[in-house]
Amino acid sequence: MSGLGEWLRQVVAIAFMGGIAEMMLPSGRLVRYVRMVVGVALLVALLSPILPALRGGWADSAANRASDMLFGNTATTAPAQAESRAAQDYAQALHQAEDQDAATYLAEWAEASLPEPVRSEVVKVTVEHPTSTDQMEVTVWIRPTGLADATEIRQIIASQLDIGLNQVAVVDEGDAPR
């Protein structure tokens, strides 16, 4: 992203300096030349990101990289494998963060779906495996002295999240591990 920002700053700076130079010059033949020079400078600045590809050599490096990947030349693919591993680690971290956000959202939604007298008895709701309805497990912690009906809670949450009754557990807070 910094490369794109630097390129954009360069284009804006050239346009800005060209505008100032044009305003400072008296009208006449010299203004035409300044406009032409600024135009060429802007064109070069706009094309600068693709100029390295036009110089050549990129096709050879792409062919070498493909050959290394196909035929397993480990001397040149080791940096690519390290980059690939870093990308996989980053993707895994993103998936974990996504799962955590989904679990938080589903827990809040499940609790909000309960009617008010029952909801006031709920201490905490947790969701495991939030992105898979087949593996999702919801645990609802309720007050031990409360009058909440565990069967009613299980039925409401199972229907709201479209999961089976066996995937919803209702536990007294007194039974909660500390």
Side-chain angles (χ1 to χ4, degrees), residues 12-82:
V12 170
I14 291 172
F16 184 70
M17 289 186 334
I20 289 175
E22 188 176 328
M23 286 190 288
M24 291 177 65
L25 291 174
S27 59
R29 297 183 84 189
L30 195 54
V31 172
R32 290 190 328 194
Y33 294 117
V34 170
R35 283 184 184 163
M36 183 187 72
V37 169
V38 170
V40 170
L42 275 173
L43 186 61
V44 169
L46 289 172
L47 294 177
S48 66
I50 60 171
L51 287 178
L54 297 176
R55 287 189 187 133
W58 63 271
D60 292 335
S61 69
N64 288 338
R65 212 178 299 149
S67 173
D68 292 342
M69 287 176 55
L70 288 173
F71 300 115
N73 185 354
T74 57
T76 56
T77 57
Q81 289 174 348

Side-chain angles (χ1 to χ4, degrees), residues 73-156:
N73 185 354
T74 57
T76 56
T77 57
Q81 289 174 348
E83 289 175 8
S84 175
R85 182 65 188 156
Q88 289 174 352
D89 291 345
Y90 181 69
Q92 184 178 5
L94 285 177
H95 286 300
Q96 287 174 346
E98 181 181 80
D99 285 350
Q100 187 176 12
D101 289 345
T104 302
Y105 172 75
L106 286 174
E108 290 172 357
W109 190 51
E111 185 175 350
S113 69
L114 297 170
E116 182 50 45
V118 175
R119 189 179 331 140
S120 64
E121 301 295 322
V122 173
V123 176
K124 180 171 96 171
V125 179
T126 60
V127 178
E128 299 286 326
H129 311 291
T131 57
S132 172
T133 56
D134 297 339
Q135 297 176 352
M136 187 184 304
E137 297 174 9
V138 179
T139 305
V140 181
W141 304 95
I142 59 172
R143 287 180 176 57
T145 58
L147 303 174
D149 183 14
T151 306
E152 179 185 7
I153 292 172
R154 289 177 65 217
Q155 288 174 344
I156 292 171

